[in-house]
Amino acid sequence: MVSLKLQKRLAADVLKCGQRKVWLDPNEINEISLANSRRNIARLAKDGLIIKKPTVVHSRARVALRNEAKRKGRHTGTGKRRGTANARLPEKVLWMRRIRVLRRLLKKMRDAKKIDKHIYHSLYMLAKGNHFKNKRVLIEQIHGMKTEKAKEKALAEQADARKGRARARLARKADREAKKVAAAEAEA
Protein backbone atom coordinates (compact mmCIF):
# COMPACT_ATOMS: atom_id res chain seq x y z
CA MET A 1 0.00 0.00 0.00
CA VAL A 2 1.52 3.29 -1.14
CA SER A 3 1.28 6.33 1.18
CA LEU A 4 -0.70 9.08 -0.50
CA LYS A 5 -0.26 11.58 2.32
CA LEU A 6 1.56 14.11 0.13
CA GLN A 7 -0.97 13.77 -2.71
CA LYS A 8 -3.86 14.27 -0.31
CA ARG A 9 -2.27 17.42 1.15
CA LEU A 10 -1.53 18.87 -2.28
CA ALA A 11 -5.02 17.97 -3.54
CA ALA A 12 -6.59 19.73 -0.56
CA ASP A 13 -4.56 22.83 -1.42
CA VAL A 14 -5.43 22.68 -5.13
CA LEU A 15 -9.14 22.00 -4.56
CA LYS A 16 -9.31 24.61 -1.77
CA CYS A 17 -10.81 22.31 0.85
CA GLY A 18 -9.78 20.22 3.83
CA GLN A 19 -8.01 16.88 3.47
CA ARG A 20 -11.11 15.06 4.71
CA LYS A 21 -12.98 16.31 1.66
CA VAL A 22 -10.46 14.89 -0.83
CA TRP A 23 -11.40 11.61 -2.55
CA LEU A 24 -8.63 9.67 -4.27
CA ASP A 25 -9.75 7.02 -6.75
CA PRO A 26 -8.77 3.65 -5.16
CA ASN A 27 -8.51 2.03 -8.64
CA GLU A 28 -5.89 4.55 -9.80
CA ILE A 29 -3.61 4.56 -6.76
CA ASN A 30 -0.50 3.90 -8.85
CA GLU A 31 -1.07 6.82 -11.15
CA ILE A 32 -1.95 9.12 -8.24
CA SER A 33 1.17 8.11 -6.33
CA LEU A 34 3.32 9.31 -9.26
CA ALA A 35 1.85 12.84 -9.04
CA ASN A 36 4.16 14.80 -6.78
CA SER A 37 3.42 18.39 -7.79
CA ARG A 38 0.43 20.68 -7.67
CA ARG A 39 0.26 20.83 -11.45
CA ASN A 40 0.05 17.01 -11.69
CA ILE A 41 -2.59 16.93 -8.96
CA ALA A 42 -4.63 19.60 -10.77
CA ARG A 43 -4.47 17.50 -13.96
CA LEU A 44 -5.68 14.41 -12.07
CA ALA A 45 -8.50 16.49 -10.55
CA LYS A 46 -9.47 17.61 -14.04
CA ASP A 47 -9.48 13.98 -15.20
CA GLY A 48 -11.70 12.99 -12.26
CA LEU A 49 -9.21 10.75 -10.42
CA ILE A 50 -9.20 13.17 -7.52
CA ILE A 51 -12.56 14.63 -6.49
CA LYS A 52 -13.68 17.15 -3.89
CA LYS A 53 -16.38 15.42 -1.85
CA PRO A 54 -19.70 17.30 -1.45
CA THR A 55 -20.39 19.03 1.83
CA VAL A 56 -22.29 16.96 4.36
CA VAL A 57 -25.88 18.12 4.75
CA HIS A 58 -26.74 19.47 8.20
CA SER A 59 -30.47 19.87 7.85
CA ARG A 60 -32.31 22.55 9.84
CA ALA A 61 -35.74 21.22 8.83
CA ARG A 62 -36.45 19.85 12.30
CA VAL A 63 -35.31 23.13 13.89
CA ALA A 64 -37.59 25.13 11.58
CA LEU A 65 -40.49 22.83 12.43
CA ARG A 66 -39.89 23.22 16.15
CA ASN A 67 -39.57 27.00 15.88
CA GLU A 68 -42.86 27.12 14.00
CA ALA A 69 -44.50 25.14 16.82
CA LYS A 70 -42.90 27.48 19.37
CA ARG A 71 -44.43 30.46 17.56
CA LYS A 72 -47.80 28.82 18.20
CA GLY A 73 -46.87 28.53 21.88
CA ARG A 74 -45.87 24.86 22.07
CA HIS A 75 -42.82 23.67 24.08
CA THR A 76 -42.83 26.80 26.26
CA GLY A 77 -44.40 25.51 29.48
CA THR A 78 -42.86 25.79 32.94
CA GLY A 79 -40.77 22.68 32.37
CA LYS A 80 -39.00 24.22 29.37
CA ARG A 81 -38.04 27.48 31.06
CA ARG A 82 -34.51 27.91 32.34
CA GLY A 83 -34.34 31.67 33.07
CA THR A 84 -36.47 33.83 35.32
CA ALA A 85 -39.40 35.69 33.79
CA ASN A 86 -37.29 38.85 34.00
CA ALA A 87 -34.42 37.18 32.16
CA ARG A 88 -36.72 35.90 29.41
CA LEU A 89 -38.41 39.27 28.82
CA PRO A 90 -36.94 42.04 31.01
CA GLU A 91 -39.24 44.43 32.84
CA LYS A 92 -37.05 47.25 31.56
CA VAL A 93 -37.82 46.31 27.94
CA LEU A 94 -41.55 46.30 28.71
CA TRP A 95 -41.21 49.69 30.44
CA MET A 96 -39.26 51.15 27.50
CA ARG A 97 -41.88 49.93 25.02
CA ARG A 98 -44.73 51.40 27.09
CA ILE A 99 -43.11 54.76 27.88
CA ARG A 100 -42.08 55.25 24.25
CA VAL A 101 -45.66 54.62 23.09
CA LEU A 102 -47.04 57.08 25.67
CA ARG A 103 -44.45 59.79 24.95
CA ARG A 104 -44.94 59.40 21.19
CA LEU A 105 -48.70 59.87 21.65
CA LEU A 106 -48.24 62.94 23.88
CA LYS A 107 -45.82 64.52 21.41
CA LYS A 108 -48.15 63.83 18.48
CA MET A 109 -51.13 65.38 20.28
CA ARG A 110 -49.11 68.43 21.33
CA ASP A 111 -47.81 68.97 17.79
CA ALA A 112 -51.37 68.62 16.43
CA LYS A 113 -52.47 71.29 18.97
CA LYS A 114 -54.91 68.84 20.55
CA ILE A 115 -53.37 69.49 23.97
CA ASP A 116 -51.51 72.58 25.18
CA LYS A 117 -48.01 72.52 26.64
CA HIS A 118 -49.26 72.65 30.24
CA ILE A 119 -51.44 69.54 29.90
CA TYR A 120 -48.59 67.91 27.94
CA HIS A 121 -46.09 68.52 30.73
CA SER A 122 -48.37 67.32 33.53
CA LEU A 123 -49.25 64.14 31.58
CA TYR A 124 -45.58 63.60 30.64
CA MET A 125 -44.60 63.65 34.30
CA LEU A 126 -47.49 61.34 35.22
CA ALA A 127 -46.36 58.90 32.51
CA LYS A 128 -42.83 59.04 33.89
CA GLY A 129 -44.24 58.24 37.33
CA ASN A 130 -45.85 55.01 36.05
CA HIS A 131 -49.36 56.46 36.28
CA PHE A 132 -50.67 55.03 32.99
CA LYS A 133 -50.95 51.30 32.41
CA ASN A 134 -51.28 51.69 28.63
CA LYS A 135 -52.19 54.03 25.77
CA ARG A 136 -55.95 53.62 26.25
CA VAL A 137 -55.79 54.84 29.85
CA LEU A 138 -53.73 57.87 28.81
CA ILE A 139 -56.18 58.76 26.04
CA GLU A 140 -59.08 58.53 28.54
CA GLN A 141 -57.21 60.87 30.90
CA ILE A 142 -56.57 63.33 28.05
CA HIS A 143 -60.26 63.36 27.10
CA GLY A 144 -61.20 63.85 30.75
CA MET A 145 -58.78 66.76 31.14
CA LYS A 146 -59.96 68.37 27.90
CA THR A 147 -63.65 68.18 28.90
CA GLU A 148 -62.77 69.55 32.35
CA LYS A 149 -60.88 72.44 30.78
CA ALA A 150 -63.74 73.13 28.33
CA LYS A 151 -66.22 73.10 31.24
CA GLU A 152 -64.07 75.54 33.23
CA LYS A 153 -63.76 77.80 30.19
CA ALA A 154 -67.53 77.74 29.63
CA LEU A 155 -68.16 78.55 33.31
CA ALA A 156 -65.63 81.41 33.19
CA GLU A 157 -67.33 82.81 30.07
CA GLN A 158 -70.73 82.56 31.74
CA ALA A 159 -69.39 84.33 34.84
CA ASP A 160 -67.89 87.08 32.66
CA ALA A 161 -71.18 87.49 30.81
CA ARG A 162 -73.05 87.64 34.12
CA LYS A 163 -70.63 90.25 35.46
CA GLY A 164 -70.98 92.23 32.23
CA ARG A 165 -74.77 92.19 32.47
CA ALA A 166 -74.61 93.24 36.14
CA ARG A 167 -72.24 96.13 35.26
CA ALA A 168 -74.61 97.26 32.48
CA ARG A 169 -77.55 97.08 34.88
CA LEU A 170 -75.69 99.14 37.48
CA ALA A 171 -74.69 101.66 34.81
CA ARG A 172 -78.32 101.99 33.64
CA LYS A 173 -79.46 102.38 37.25
CA ALA A 174 -76.81 105.04 37.87
CA ASP A 175 -77.94 106.89 34.71
CA ARG A 176 -81.56 106.79 35.86
CA GLU A 177 -80.57 108.12 39.29
CA ALA A 178 -78.54 110.88 37.66
CA LYS A 179 -81.46 111.81 35.40
CA LYS A 180 -83.79 111.90 38.40
CA VAL A 181 -81.41 114.13 40.30
CA ALA A 182 -81.03 116.39 37.26
CA ALA A 183 -84.82 116.57 36.80
CA ALA A 184 -85.35 117.40 40.49
CA GLU A 185 -82.76 120.19 40.31
CA ALA A 186 -84.35 121.59 37.16
CA GLU A 187 -87.78 121.76 38.87
CA ALA A 188 -86.33 123.47 41.95
Side-chain angles (χ1 to χ4, degrees):
M1 183 71 189
V2 187
S3 173
L4 299 175
K5 208 170 175 184
L6 169 73
Q7 284 76 5
K8 193 159 247 195
R9 180 173 63 77
L10 292 176
D13 194 36
V14 168
L15 298 171
K16 295 187 174 64
C17 64
Q19 289 184 33
R20 66 196 288 272
K21 288 285 177 214
V22 174
W23 178 82
L24 306 172
D25 192 341
N27 301 325
E28 305 291 342
I29 287 175
N30 293 331
E31 196 174 335
I32 293 169
S33 64
L34 295 173
N36 58 0
S37 69
R38 283 180 170 74
R39 182 174 286 172
N40 291 344
I41 294 290
R43 185 175 50 77
L44 291 174
K46 190 166 164 260
D47 293 344
L49 302 184
I50 297 174
I51 298 173
K52 180 180 177 179
K53 288 185 199 168
T55 53
V56 177
V57 175
H58 183 186
S59 173
R60 286 189 56 79
R62 285 183 298 280
V63 176
L65 206 66
R66 191 172 183 83
N67 286 343
E68 198 179 322
K70 272 193 172 182
R71 273 195 293 277
K72 292 177 182 172
R74 318 286 188 266
H75 318 292
T76 52
T78 45
K80 289 288 180 186
R81 298 178 197 172
R82 295 298 295 273
T84 61
N86 195 33
R88 288 161 67 85
L89 182 57
E91 290 156 16
K92 185 175 180 178
V93 170
L94 294 172
W95 164 261
M96 287 190 319
R97 279 183 197 164
R98 178 157 53 109
I99 201 72
R100 282 174 184 170
V101 165
L102 298 178
R103 285 176 178 172
R104 201 179 303 126
L105 176 74
L106 285 172
K107 191 170 181 294
K108 198 168 81 177
M109 292 191 100
R110 183 188 61 184
D111 293 344
K113 303 275 192 291
K114 288 183 179 174
I115 55 173
D116 63 356
K117 63 181 183 180
H118 305 292
I119 289 179
Y120 169 84
H121 184 70
S122 62
L123 290 174
Y124 188 98
M125 297 315 282
L126 285 173
K128 186 181 179 182
N130 198 19
H131 189 79
F132 305 114
K133 181 183 175 186
N134 52 36
K135 193 171 164 180
R136 180 177 53 78
V137 176
L138 174 59
I139 289 169
E140 280 173 16
Q141 176 102 351
I142 290 169
H143 288 322
M145 284 178 96
K146 280 172 80 175
T147 53
E148 191 71 32
K149 201 156 193 181
K151 213 178 278 178
E152 280 175 19
K153 195 176 177 186
L155 287 170
E157 283 173 3
Q158 282 174 11
D160 283 347
R162 209 175 286 125
K163 282 176 188 169
R165 285 199 298 273
R167 267 191 230 104
R169 198 166 45 246
L170 286 170
R172 283 198 304 274
K173 195 173 182 182
D175 283 349
R176 276 202 305 275
E177 292 293 331
K179 282 177 184 171
K180 275 185 188 175
V181 169
E185 283 176 5
E187 283 176 12

